[in-house]
């Protein structure tokens, strides 16, 4: 099995790793890489995820809308086909009945009102075939026989009108409407109307006579409409009778059986069901322009999709046009998809932003822990170094004190005083977090245990100078030894004695301290060298790296000590962060 190691930076590493540890470390490395990307690009990655999901959502909505439009077009196409089929079916039905009527009327010598009424009654036109004005009979006569025609017809229909237009405006043949069913006041307007007098009707009748088939006319205004403008059309079927004993022809045109249609009603009856969407429905005669428009129906605003279907009514080509309305807005499924996509993208973006913030905080926390660990290591090393230095100083002091002590009590008192001097300076350094310590504070701390009351006069004078921690310890020991000697043998041992301690800056990196005693007992020229002298001239001079001038003058001891003034960067373990900044 391998051993997994997490580095100080929080990144996974492996040492003597087996397969399982390698796989786990790889997964951790990938996870760390992903978190690092979130930290490096806290806005770009969430925005990219949002845009990617938004693009997928847009493509989904586009696909749904495209499919919906195709489905709608298919529905409209099917709907248009159903209308076209219904129109042709109705046209074919009426053509069939006109054929049957033509066959019946061709077999008799004269179409009487009774015969016509019986034929129409059998058709049950009012019940089965909506959309047509009815069925009529047109008798073809010569222009000179119009008077005899009117007399014969008025014998059965006393209120039959005159032929119109007048015979003087008629052509070679007159074809007035003789009968029309159902018999209504509106349909009576068509009686007596000469169909050959109107070119469109005449053209359709001539085509029917030529082909002997039901033939629809072009766009006309029905005679029933009077002054109305509602367009329509008519279907004509010729009726021929045999001519016995005729050397030139075997049959003659007796007339036409026809059916007229109001185009609007004819189209409305073909529209059996509601449209699938908003549509525009138009029916044209042969060409799709306004001159040939038969009828227009709209169930909504005109749209962009246009369908044209040919419709054949009694051998005449009509055009059915369907305009599907432009449906505004999205389909319900598209709206649901869009809302879901936007919600999901927003949620993921929010989650990624939170993860990015958490990753950034974790990285800052790891960096903080790394720095704290480095500081802790530095503090441990510094503390170990300072403890060793302090213990070395204590051992040296003990060794030298033991050599100079006259007895156990003297040894204990001397050692205690010197340890107190170290302790006093340590207290000062602790109070400043082992930063710089004012030189005045070191002097006052060492003198406070020796000088009390008004037994002597002290003069402390000098500029503000800050000492490094180790320099302050060594300087404090020197001041302690000088003060102890002055208290025992010098100016501090008698009333009226004075100790003057003055310091000045020799340069930016060196301070000069002068200890001067006066007013005390005379200093003997012949004296025994003590521990204090050795401590100041050897240990203190060595620690401060400058020679100490110690002069035992008759009027009092004079000592000059040079103390280094160091820059903070020369002894501090780490920079103190500025206010408002983190570690």
């Amino acid at each position: 099995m391998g051993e997994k190691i997490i580095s100080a930076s929080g990144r996974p590493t492996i040492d003597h790793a087996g397969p399982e540890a390698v796989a786990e470390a790889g997964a951790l490395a990938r996870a760390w890489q992903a978190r690092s990307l979130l930290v490096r690009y806290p806005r770009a990655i969430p925005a990219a995820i949002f845009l990617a999901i938004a693009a997928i959502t847009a493509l989904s909505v586009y696909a749904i809308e495209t499919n919906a439009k195709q489905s709608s077009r298919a529905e409209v196409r099917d709907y248009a086909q159903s209308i076209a089929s219904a129109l042709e079916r109705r046209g074919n039905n009426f053509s069939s009945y006109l054929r049957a009527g033509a066959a019946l009327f061709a077999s008799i010598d004269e179409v009487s009102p009774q015969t016509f009424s019986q034929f129409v009654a059998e058709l049950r036109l009012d019940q089965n075939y909506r959309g047509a004005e009815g069925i009529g009979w047109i008798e073809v006569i010569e222009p000179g026989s119009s008077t005899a025609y009117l007399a014969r017809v008025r014998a059965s229909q006393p209120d039959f009108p005159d032929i119109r237009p007048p015979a003087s405006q008629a052509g070679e043949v007159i074809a007035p409407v003789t009968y029309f069913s159902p018999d209504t006041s509106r349909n009576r307007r068509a009686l007596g109307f000469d169909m050959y007098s109107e070119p469109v009707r005449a053209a359709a009748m001539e085509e029917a006579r030529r082909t002997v088939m039901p033939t629809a006319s072009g766009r006309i205004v029905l005679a029933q409409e009077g002054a109305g403008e509602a367009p329509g059309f008519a279907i004509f079927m010729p009726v021929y009778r045999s001519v016995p004993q005729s050397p030139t022809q075997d049959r003659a045109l007796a007339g036409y059986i026809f059916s007229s249609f109001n185009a609007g009603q004819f189209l409305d009856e073909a529209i059996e069901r509601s449209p699938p969407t908003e549509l525009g429905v138009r029916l044209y005669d042969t060409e799709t322009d306004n001159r040939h428009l038969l009828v227009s129906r709209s169930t909504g605003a005109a749209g962009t999709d246009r369908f044209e279907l040919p419709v054949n009514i009694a051998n005449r080509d009509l055009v059915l046009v369907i305009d599907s309305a432009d449906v505004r807005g999205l389909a319900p499924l598209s709206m649901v998809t869009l809302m879901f996509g936007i919600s999901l993208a927003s949620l993921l973006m929010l989650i990624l932003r939170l993860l990015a913030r958490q990753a950034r905080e974790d990285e800052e926390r790891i960096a903080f822990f790394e720095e704290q660990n480095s500081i802790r290591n530095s503090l441990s090393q510094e503390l170990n170094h300072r403890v060793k230095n302090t213990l070395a100083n204590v051992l040296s002091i003990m060794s030298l004190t033991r050599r100079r002590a006259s007895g156990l009590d003297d040894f204990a008192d001397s050692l205690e005083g010197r340890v107190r001097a170290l302790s006093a300076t340590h207290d000062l350094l602790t109070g400043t977090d082992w930063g710089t310590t004012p030189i005045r504070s070191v002097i006052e701390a060492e003198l406070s245990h020796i000088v009390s009351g008004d037994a002597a006069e002290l003069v402390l004078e000098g500029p503000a100078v800050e000492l490094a921690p180790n320099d302050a310890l060594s300087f404090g020991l020197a001041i302690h030894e000088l003060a102890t000697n002055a208290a025992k043998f010098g100016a501090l041992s008698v009333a009226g004695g004075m100790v003057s301690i003055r310091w000045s800056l020799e340069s930016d990196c060196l301070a000069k301290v002068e200890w001067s005693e006066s007013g005390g007992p005379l200093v003997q020229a012949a004296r025994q060298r003590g521990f204090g002298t050795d401590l100041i001239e050897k240990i203190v001079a060595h620690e401060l790296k400058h020679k100490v001038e110690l002069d035992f003058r008759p009027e009092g001891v004079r000592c000059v000590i040079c103390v280094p003034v160091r820059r903070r960067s020369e002894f501090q373990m780490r920079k103190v962060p500025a206010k408002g900044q983190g570690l």
Side-chain angles (χ1 to χ4, degrees):
M1 296 296 290
E3 180 183 358
K4 182 178 67 176
I5 300 174
I6 303 298
S7 66
S9 62
R11 296 173 175 80
T13 61
I14 55 173
D15 186 21
H16 307 295
E20 296 180 358
V22 170
E24 184 177 358
L28 289 174
R30 288 189 295 272
W32 176 262
Q33 185 178 9
R35 291 169 65 87
S36 299
L37 289 175
L38 284 176
V39 172
R40 282 185 289 175
Y41 308 105
R43 296 181 181 273
I45 291 182
I49 295 296
F50 178 86
L51 292 177
I53 297 180
I56 294 173
T57 302
L59 289 176
S60 301
V61 170
Y62 175 77
I64 293 172
E65 286 297 305
T66 301
N67 183 64
K69 289 182 178 180
Q70 291 177 350
S71 299
S72 177
R73 287 176 60 87
E75 289 183 5
V76 172
R77 188 180 296 107
D78 293 342
Y79 182 73
Q81 188 63 49
S82 68
I83 295 177
S85 298
L87 292 174
E88 290 183 347
R89 184 170 59 253
R90 280 170 170 74
N92 292 335
N93 287 337
F94 274 95
S95 296
S96 298
Y97 279 94
L98 293 180
R99 287 176 183 270
L104 174 64
F105 295 162
S107 63
I108 58 177
D109 294 335
E110 182 181 353
V111 180
S112 63
Q114 294 78 12
T115 303
F116 180 80
S117 298
Q118 184 178 0
F119 167 72
V120 174
E122 292 296 331
L123 294 180
R124 298 181 180 179
L125 187 65
D126 294 337
Q127 299 179 14
N128 298 329
Y129 300 98
R130 300 180 301 273
E133 295 292 332
I135 292 180
W137 166 250
I138 302 171
E139 187 173 338
V140 177
I141 61 175
E142 297 295 332
S145 59
S146 59
T147 303
Y149 166 79
L150 289 175
R152 177 168 48 84
V153 173
R154 285 173 177 170
S156 58
Q157 300 182 70
D159 56 349
F160 191 85
D162 293 335
I163 297 174
R164 60 185 191 282
S168 60
Q169 302 178 12
E172 297 179 357
V173 179
I174 300 174
V177 178
T178 306
Y179 307 121
F180 201 90
S181 182
D183 185 13
T184 63
S185 60
R186 182 173 183 275
N187 285 338
R188 290 194 191 101
R189 298 174 187 171
L191 296 178
F193 180 76
D194 181 11
M195 290 290 188
Y196 264 111
S197 65
E198 199 274 318
V200 177
R201 290 178 174 87
M205 293 166 70
E206 286 298 319
E207 180 66 18
R209 185 171 67 173
R210 185 183 66 82
T211 60
V212 193
M213 294 179 64
T215 302
S217 70
R219 182 180 185 273
I220 61 174
V221 176
L222 300 180
Q224 294 94 319
E225 299 294 341
E229 294 295 332
F233 63 94
I235 300 177
F236 300 95
M237 178 64 192
V239 176
Y240 287 93
R241 293 195 184 101
S242 60
V243 179
Q245 300 177 353
S246 174
T248 59
Q249 59 180 1
D250 57 353
R251 62 177 186 173
L253 179 64
Y256 293 88
I257 183 170
F258 78 101
S259 181
S260 60
F261 299 86
N262 180 292
Q265 295 178 0
F266 185 72
L267 179 62
D268 291 341
E269 291 299 327
I271 303 176
E272 297 178 348
R273 59 187 176 89
S274 300
T277 183
E278 295 181 348
L279 299 177
V281 182
R282 298 190 298 277
L283 187 62
Y284 292 90
D285 175 35
T286 65
E287 297 181 12
T288 56
D289 57 47
N290 291 334
R291 293 185 300 105
H292 295 83
L293 179 63
L294 293 175
V295 63
S296 176
R297 294 286 186 267
S298 177
T299 60
T304 56
D305 291 334
R306 179 187 177 99
F307 299 92
E308 293 187 7
L309 293 176
V311 179
N312 187 272
I313 304 295
N315 298 319
R316 188 171 186 87
D317 292 330
L318 306 182
V319 181
L320 178 66
V321 177
I322 304 293
D323 291 325
S324 63
D326 186 12
V327 180
R328 300 183 181 275
L330 298 177
L333 182 58
S334 298
M335 289 296 298
V336 172
T337 303
L338 182 62
M339 296 302 296
F340 176 77
I342 293 177
S343 300
L344 179 61
S346 301
L347 179 60
L348 287 179
M349 185 176 67
L350 177 61
I351 292 175
L352 287 174
R353 289 296 302 275
L354 293 177
L355 289 177
R357 180 182 300 176
Q358 183 65 39
R360 185 171 61 254
E361 292 177 354
D362 290 344
E363 190 169 79
E364 291 176 355
R365 195 175 293 111
I366 290 173
F368 173 77
F369 289 154
E370 288 179 349
E371 186 172 359
Q372 290 298 308
N373 184 57
S374 176
I375 293 173
R376 185 164 49 251
N377 291 337
S378 299
L379 287 175
S380 298
Q381 295 173 4
E382 183 70 17
L383 179 61
N384 182 49
H385 174 69
R386 291 178 179 177
V387 168
K388 286 183 179 180
N389 286 344
T390 302
L391 291 177
N393 290 334
V394 171
L395 289 175
S396 298
I397 292 171
M398 288 178 61
S399 177
L400 293 174
T401 303
R402 180 170 55 83
R403 294 177 188 176
R404 300 294 192 273
S406 58
L408 182 60
D409 292 338
D410 182 35
F411 171 76
D413 292 340
S414 299
L415 181 61
E416 179 181 359
R418 288 161 183 147
V419 171
R420 283 183 181 277
L422 285 175
S423 177
T425 308
H426 268 274
D427 288 341
L428 285 176
L429 296 176
T430 302
T432 59
D433 195 20
W434 284 81
T436 58
T437 304
I439 194 171
R440 179 182 290 272
S441 299
V442 177
I443 296 172
E444 290 176 348
E446 297 300 336
L447 293 179
S448 63
H449 298 287
I450 298 174
V451 180
S452 60
D454 298 328
E457 182 180 356
L458 293 176
V459 177
L460 304 180
E461 183 179 337
V465 179
E466 301 284 334
L467 301 181
N470 289 337
D471 298 334
L473 286 173
S474 300
F475 178 69
L477 281 176
I479 296 298
H480 171 75
E481 292 301 327
L482 292 172
T484 301
N485 181 75
K488 289 182 178 180
F489 311 108
L492 299 180
S493 63
V494 297
M498 183 182 71
V499 176
S500 172
I501 306 174
R502 290 180 172 84
W503 62 91
S504 62
L505 282 172
E506 296 295 307
S507 65
D508 292 339
C509 56
L510 186 65
K512 180 179 179 182
V513 181
E514 181 179 357
W515 173 287
S516 178
E517 299 179 22
S518 61
L522 292 175
V523 179
Q524 298 179 2
R527 60 180 181 80
Q528 184 179 1
R529 186 179 180 86
F531 168 74
T533 303
D534 292 337
L535 179 65
I536 293 173
E537 292 181 344
K538 295 181 179 180
I539 297 179
V540 172
H542 173 74
E543 290 293 332
L544 298 180
K545 295 181 176 57
H546 287 84
K547 184 179 180 180
V548 176
E549 298 180 11
L550 184 58
D551 186 9
F552 292 92
R553 300 179 303 178
E555 64 274 14
V557 176
R558 178 181 179 273
C559 183
V560 177
I561 304 173
C562 292
V563 185
V565 179
R566 307 177 191 273
R567 293 190 298 272
R568 180 178 290 271
S569 59
E570 295 179 5
F571 64 86
Q572 68 178 7
M573 292 177 291
R574 58 188 176 89
K575 293 183 178 180
V576 178
K579 185 177 181 180
Q581 297 180 350
L583 291 175

